[in-house]
Amino acid sequence: MAKRILVSGGAGFIGSHLCTKLVQDGNDVICLDNFFTGAKKNVEHLIGYTNFEIVRHDVIDPFRAEVDEIYNLACPASPIHYQYDPIQTTKTSVYGALNMLGLAKRVRAKILQASTSEVYGDPEVHPQPEEYWGNVNPIGIRSCYDEGKRCAETLFMDYRRQHNLRIKIVRIFNTYGPKMLAHDGRVVSNFILQALNNQVITIYGDGQQTRSFQYIDDLIEGMVKMMDTEDNFTGPVNMGNPVEFTILELAQKIIKLTNSKSEIVFLPLPHDDPKQRKPDISLAKEKLNWEPTIQLEEGLLKMIEYFTKNHIQ
Ligand code: NAD
Ligand code: UDP
Ligand code: UDP
């Protein structure tokens, strides 16, 4: 049955894919965004559908609507953008979560939080299961994002305990795909652009740090499945691709796939850059019957095609 669904941060990379899926499934979708890192262009193909609506609004301020479900995604996700105005980042995570929870409480909507693997910080446990409490610096340059997201998880759990809200928490690991902002400094988009333009590939540090990369379509399927789980399952649940690569391996793969003449340069590693990251997805497998199906090479080829087709330079 069609539902009324609010997606905060709906004009961003993940949000726009989610809105597309929810509209295609016949739901009534409100996309809420202040367009800090998102853009109307990301959802322009949905404008004109009678079951799609776009609203310019900052989640720091209260918002009213009558909906059945809320996906709370509003928050810049790349270090360049979340460090641009770190106080605004914390406000977005914390006040944004409070306002969306207050709204969910008033209309008794189900609400899902887009949390992050960053709640594990620079992890000392590998791979990271949901029970791991993390190793997060509370006063560093990444803290506005990491601690903001941790506080949002706290609020979600307290609204559950205090007000019996139906909540869901998904901890998203590095995700890539079409509609990612080209110049937000994320590793996959940086390397593909550098390779396509035969520019030097910038590896920070020695390239031995690891990440696990998930293709956007796998994540969207997982998020919708999570929203549909029974009410007493709140998570947090990890969502990511458990196949781990070093950043050097990623660079080499992209050079090969793009047939590029780019050379690799090694630059200083940013502060608090996690050394390793890989999700333990046993819980998602068990509870959602979900696991990623698109492996790195296949996903990279789709992203390379998108950047090439859209003449992104
Ligand atoms: P994005 O920057 O493309 O999207 C974020 C969206 O939120 C943008 O459209 C932006 O304009 C909007 N926004 C930011 N502040 C806002 C505010 N105060 N009010 C209203 N809208 C606001 O990033 P993304 O990669 O699509 O990330 C979406 C969510 O997923 C974020 O919450 C992020 O923390 C989480 N996440 C993403 C990844 C990833 O790898 N992309 C990993 C972990 C978690
Ligand atoms: N809120 C909102 N939309 C609503 C209902 C509440 O944005 O439809 C906001 C409200 O302004 C408050 C926050 O959500 O800032 C938390 O609301 P709650 O009712 O939980 O707490 P209180 O209003 O008592 O602080
Ligand atoms: N990175 C890199 N070169 C770049 C961009 C990023 O070597 O041009 C590294 C970065 O230092 C980190 C990893 O790639 O170790 C992933 O960075 P990203 O910002 O994409 O995600 P996050 O650090 O949030 O996992």
Side-chain angles (χ1 to χ4, degrees), residues 8-16 32-39 42 57-60 72-78 81 88 91-92 113-118 145 149 170-176 179-181 184 186 219 223:
S8 83
F13 160 50
I14 298 175
S16 59
L32 196 71
D33 211 293
N34 71 350
F35 305 119
F36 173 45
T37 49
N42 286 337
H57 177 81
D58 193 310
V59 291
I60 288 176
N72 185 37
L73 273 64
C75 187
S78 74
H81 289 115
Q88 167 79 8
K91 283 186 185 170
T92 294
Q113 168 69 356
S115 190
T116 167
S117 53
E118 300 282 333
Y145 184 72
K149 288 285 187 178
V170 171
R171 290 184 179 151
I172 303 169
F173 283 65
N174 296 61
T175 306
Y176 68 99
K179 300 208 161 127
M180 238 179 141
L181 261 187
D184 73 354
R186 311 302 288 277
L219 171 66
M223 288 174 82

Side-chain angles (χ1 to χ4, degrees), residues 61-65 98-103 105-107 159 163:
D61 297 319
F63 180 76
R64 279 176 175 259
L98 253 180
N99 287 328
M100 291 299 115
L101 285 161
L103 167 59
K105 188 182 95 184
R106 185 177 59 80
V107 299
Y159 267 78
H163 298 300

Side-chain angles (χ1 to χ4, degrees), residues 268-295:
L269 192 67
H271 270 289
D272 290 342
D273 198 275
K275 286 181 278 305
Q276 52 183 8
R277 197 184 286 141
K278 166 181 169 166
D280 177 334
I281 59 163
S282 326
L283 186 66
K285 278 188 185 162
E286 181 201 326
K287 294 282 187 185
L288 313 177
N289 191 23
W290 173 90
E291 65 181 311
T293 57
I294 299 164
Q295 295 314 327

Side-chain angles (χ1 to χ4, degrees), residues 3 5-32 39-47 49 51-54 71 73 178-179 216-217 220-221 223-224 306:
K3 288 172 286 200
I5 305 178
L6 176 69
V7 181
S8 83
F13 160 50
I14 298 175
S16 59
H17 286 274
L18 182 62
C19 285
T20 303
K21 158 93 178 132
L22 297 172
V23 168
Q24 278 169 356
D25 289 349
N27 300 290
D28 242 312
V29 176
I30 303 174
C31 163
L32 196 71
K40 276 189 207 154
K41 194 168 179 2
N42 286 337
V43 287
E44 67 180 343
H45 56 289
L46 301 176
I47 294 171
Y49 278 80
N51 59 335
F52 181 73
E53 210 175 320
I54 185 161
Y71 288 86
L73 273 64
K179 300 208 161 127
I216 182 72
D217 294 1
I220 298 301
E221 193 204 323
M223 288 174 82
V224 172
Y306 170 80

Side-chain angles (χ1 to χ4, degrees), residues 235-287:
V237 60
N238 288 337
M239 228 156 250
N241 191 324
V243 185
E244 187 181 10
F245 292 90
T246 66
I247 295 302
L248 179 61
E249 284 169 338
L250 176 73
Q252 289 163 339
K253 225 178 225 313
I254 290 176
I255 290 174
K256 197 183 98 202
L257 293 175
T258 50
N259 223 346
S260 173
K261 297 187 188 64
S262 292
E263 286 177 12
I264 292 175
V265 291
F266 295 89
L267 300 175
L269 192 67
H271 270 289
D272 290 342
D273 198 275
K275 286 181 278 305
Q276 52 183 8
R277 197 184 286 141
K278 166 181 169 166
D280 177 334
I281 59 163
S282 326
L283 186 66
K285 278 188 185 162
E286 181 201 326
K287 294 282 187 185

Side-chain angles (χ1 to χ4, degrees), residues 77-79 82 117-118 142 145 174 180 184-188 190-191 194 201-205 207 209-211 213 247 250 268-270 273-274 277:
S78 74
Y82 72 65
S117 53
E118 300 282 333
R142 293 175 84 106
Y145 184 72
N174 296 61
M180 238 179 141
D184 73 354
R186 311 302 288 277
V187 70
V188 176
N190 265 13
F191 285 4
Q194 290 164 344
I201 305 252
T202 54
I203 290 190
Y204 305 153
Q209 71 270 39
T210 69
R211 293 292 186 277
F213 300 99
I247 295 302
L250 176 73
L269 192 67
D273 198 275
R277 197 184 286 141

